[in-house]
Amino acid sequence: MNLELRHLRVVCAIAETGSVTKAASTLGLAQPALTAQLQRIERALGGPLFERDRRGARPTALGELVLDRARVLLPAMKGLQDEAARLAGAGDPLSRYRFGGVNSPILGRLVHRLAAERPEVQITTYASWSVDELAQLVAGGRLDFALSGVCGDATPSAESGLSWREVAVDPVFVLLPQTHPMAGRDEVRLVDLRREQWVAAPGDGCFGDCFAAACARAGFTPRKLYEADVRGCLDLVDAGEAVALCQATFRPVAGLVTRRLAGTPLRWRLLLGWHPDAPAARVAEPVLETAVAAYTDALANHPDYLAWLLAHPDFGAQPTTAGGVRTA
């Protein structure tokens, strides 16, 4: 059997998880199939790569040698594939825009504007709960742009090498049922929600360090947190079982309302990312300007929030400069 990169990934997965069973789950394989594959790899290399017992799997001396080489080869091959994908289109005009989004409030309007401005360009979209996944797809040349958001002053991982620019900065709102005692207020203090249960969609968002820190500053620890898809989140809020954080430009369905959190304890920064060495970099600035325009379009459905923005110029669409909007 000839050793292939996929075999090195198997060895690394077993070493990283410390167990063939856990590695099989990580790789999406049945344990017997992974065990048989490991045995074939060991035969090809001339000896056992792991010592296995009830405590797990630990690399042998031969295993450590293979792991040392694999940890150099796998990232190098990934880098080669990514650079080749970018170089393959470097000399061609961008004839398609491939966008990935994480709960983006402007994707529809951005696509609409670009389709009107560049009718000859093919536009595709891809949805993901994870900004890291989108960044990897952009770095690998499989997407051109990523639309994502981060809480507070956080920044996406620099590992993928993407350039990130701010499109807009918004205060985080709370989503309540219309029958909630605080639904009639213009804004709600976070501390007044200390007895509520919360619900959030999976993936990147404020329900992590930012939310916990904001609650701690307000003097309480949040109660139970449900996790559901967007439809499930809306149902739980509508049923009065939970409340949720939401973006300022979120349009609630009938029976639900959005309210500002007093003092803006949480901020959401909408970002556009691209790889600086990819063909998309040549059109990034006009796409960025279109994204800002799409955000401005979205404000038309939120006159109360638009009025609030006029009194709080640090929020809303971020001004462009000669080099684009502010770096994330």
Side-chain angles (χ1 to χ4, degrees):
M1 182 187 79
N2 292 324
L3 201 63
E4 301 176 13
L5 290 176
R6 62 188 177 93
H7 299 137
L8 297 180
R9 293 189 185 98
V10 165
V11 176
C12 288
I14 296 172
E16 288 165 5
T17 60
S19 162
V20 173
T21 301
K22 292 178 181 177
S25 177
T26 299
L27 296 170
L29 299 172
Q31 181 184 340
L34 185 61
T35 299
Q37 190 171 82
L38 175 60
Q39 290 170 347
R40 290 194 295 272
I41 295 169
E42 290 177 329
R43 285 197 298 270
L45 291 171
L49 302 181
F50 295 94
E51 294 177 356
R52 297 169 59 190
D53 55 31
R54 287 178 298 177
R55 292 176 296 176
R58 296 177 303 282
T60 62
L62 177 59
E64 292 287 4
L65 173 65
V66 174
L67 284 167
D68 286 343
R69 299 296 190 271
R71 286 164 179 159
V72 173
L73 287 171
L74 290 175
M77 183 55 69
K78 176 69 165 56
L80 172 61
Q81 291 171 332
D82 291 348
E83 290 179 22
R86 292 193 294 269
L87 184 60
D92 302 324
L94 201 63
S95 59
R96 60 182 180 184
Y97 293 162
R98 298 167 297 173
F99 287 95
V102 180
N103 286 334
S104 173
I106 67 166
L107 182 61
R109 290 178 177 84
L110 174 58
V111 169
H112 178 73
R113 276 183 165 270
L114 287 173
E117 295 171 4
R118 299 285 306 277
E120 76 282 4
V121 172
Q122 179 185 4
I123 302 173
T124 59
T125 60
Y126 174 80
S128 170
W129 293 111
S130 169
V131 63
D132 287 339
E133 181 195 4
L134 293 179
Q136 290 168 8
L137 291 172
V138 173
R142 292 180 289 279
L143 289 175
D144 300 306
F145 298 98
L147 270 172
S148 183
V150 292
C151 195
D153 294 322
T155 56
S157 170
E159 185 177 341
S160 59
L162 268 58
S163 296
W164 294 95
R165 299 292 187 272
E166 284 183 351
V167 176
V169 180
D170 290 313
V172 175
F173 279 33
V174 62
L175 183 68
L176 304 169
Q178 209 163 30
T179 55
H180 195 282
M182 300 179 207
R185 303 181 185 180
D186 289 335
E187 61 180 22
V188 177
R189 295 192 308 162
L190 185 59
V191 69
D192 292 338
L193 300 169
R194 63 189 179 279
R195 295 186 178 89
E196 300 290 346
Q197 299 186 127
W198 297 83
V199 62
D204 305 301
C206 283
F207 273 108
D209 295 339
C210 291
F211 179 65
C215 292
R217 289 193 297 270
F220 72 97
T221 300
R223 294 180 63 198
K224 183 176 181 179
L225 174 64
Y226 294 104
E227 183 176 271
D229 59 21
V230 174
R231 180 68 255 181
C233 289
L234 296 178
D235 286 344
L236 282 164
V237 175
D238 186 48
E241 184 65 23
V243 299
L245 298 179
C246 66
Q247 297 177 33
T249 51
F250 177 77
R251 285 185 289 176
V253 298
L256 305 181
V257 298
T258 62
R259 294 293 180 259
R260 293 190 307 275
L261 289 172
T264 60
L266 294 168
R267 294 179 299 117
W268 187 250
R269 297 163 57 228
L270 179 61
L271 308 176
L272 180 71
W274 62 87
H275 198 285
D277 298 329
R282 300 197 300 271
V283 297
E285 292 301 328
V287 170
L288 182 60
E289 292 174 4
T290 304
V292 172
Y295 170 85
T296 303
D297 292 343
L299 295 177
N301 293 317
H302 304 272
D304 292 342
Y305 178 51
L306 182 56
W308 184 90
L309 285 176
L310 294 176
H312 299 81
D314 289 342
F315 290 90
Q318 296 303 288
T320 58
T321 64
V325 299
R326 188 169 38 178
T327 302

